[in-house]
Amino acid sequence: AQTVTQSQPEMSVQEAETVTLSCTYDTSENNYYLFWYKQPPSRQMILVIRQEAYKQQNATENRFSVNFQKAAKSFSLKISDSQLGDTAMYFCAFMKPYSGYALNFGKGTSLLVTP
Amino acid sequence: ETGVTQTPRHLVMGMTNKKSLKCEQHLGHNAMYWYKQSAKKPLELMFVYSLEERVENNSVPSRFSPECPNSSHLFLHLHTLQPEDSALYLCASSQTYKPSGSDSYEQYFGPGTRLTVT
């Protein structure tokens, strides 16, 4: 089974600053997908960004970008120009396609954006 | 309704009750999932249905019984639960195959059902 580790249970950042959330994973697979999901206090889980392992280019979505290091099995999320609405739990997730398509989640990082 | 909906949003039940959680997806997806989210634990996969067939049962106790009558609906039938089953139950859906070959696999989640077993 694949394991996903998020080593930062809680983080805090000031508005407009940049913050990086870390995620490492363990797998022997070569083809897989990685995701960052956001769960605001309202509890609706929302996809933030995804990365295909076969792509070397790091994914970006507006203020969100990842640093994907396949050899190091590292997948960090960078949030630029942090906004109050970014306050949420952030979950890193691993998926192996063609085998159930289920997501393996890390324990999450609670991010607080302060004024 | 859009996206993934779940009912009820909150449920309190005794250990001897029988209840069901309902999930409906309006995205035309072909796969649906049940996850359990407990405090201080990672989200745990419970069941996966692809094309209405169960493809994964992640060692879930038999007091949880899933049902997928069609690709848009997913149920979780509950009976004789234990207090440790209290959690947020999340439903998700995804498209695992597209004829164009442009699979994206991301899962879309519902708001969850907060279950309390007394």
Side-chain angles (χ1 to χ4, degrees), chain B residues 36-38 82-89 114-118:
Chain B
K36 177 183 178 182
Q37 187 175 26
S38 307
Q82 304 298 310
E84 60 264 28
D85 297 322
S86 297
L88 182 69
Y89 288 84
R114 171 66 64 187
L115 173 66
T116 303
V117 181
T118 61

Side-chain angles (χ1 to χ4, degrees), chain B residues 24-85:
Chain B
E24 184 172 1
Q25 60 98 358
H26 309 268
L27 300 168
H29 290 163
N30 65 354
M32 297 186 76
Y33 312 78
W34 279 117
Y35 290 89
K36 177 183 178 182
Q37 187 175 26
S38 307
K40 301 179 182 179
K41 292 177 75 174
L43 280 86
E44 302 170 76
L45 175 72
M46 299 178 74
F47 302 103
V48 180
Y49 275 83
S50 179
L51 298 173
E52 301 157 38
E53 290 192 17
R54 191 190 309 180
V55 296
E56 191 156 340
N57 175 350
N58 205 23
S59 302
V60 178
S62 59
R63 57 186 183 269
F64 295 92
S65 175
E67 178 189 2
C68 187
N70 55 61
S71 60
S72 298
H73 294 86
L74 184 65
F75 295 89
L76 188 62
H77 304 300
L78 317 171
H79 64 97
T80 58
L81 294 190
Q82 304 298 310
E84 60 264 28
D85 297 322

Side-chain angles (χ1 to χ4, degrees), chain A residues 5-56:
Chain A
T5 303
Q6 294 179 248
S7 59
Q8 306 149 314
E10 296 179 349
M11 293 193 72
S12 179
V13 64
Q14 282 194 315
E15 222 176 344
E17 297 295 309
T18 296
V19 64
T20 299
L21 310 183
S22 67
C23 172
T24 58
Y25 57 95
D26 183 27
T27 185
S28 58
E29 302 291 330
N30 191 49
N31 181 26
Y32 52 88
Y33 290 72
L34 295 163
F35 303 88
W36 278 99
Y37 279 88
K38 166 186 176 181
Q39 189 177 38
S42 66
R43 294 291 186 178
Q44 189 94 31
M45 192 86 74
I46 305 166
L47 176 69
V48 175
I49 198 166
R50 71 170 189 148
Q51 174 81 42
E52 295 91 332
Y54 63 86
K55 290 186 177 178
Q56 292 185 335

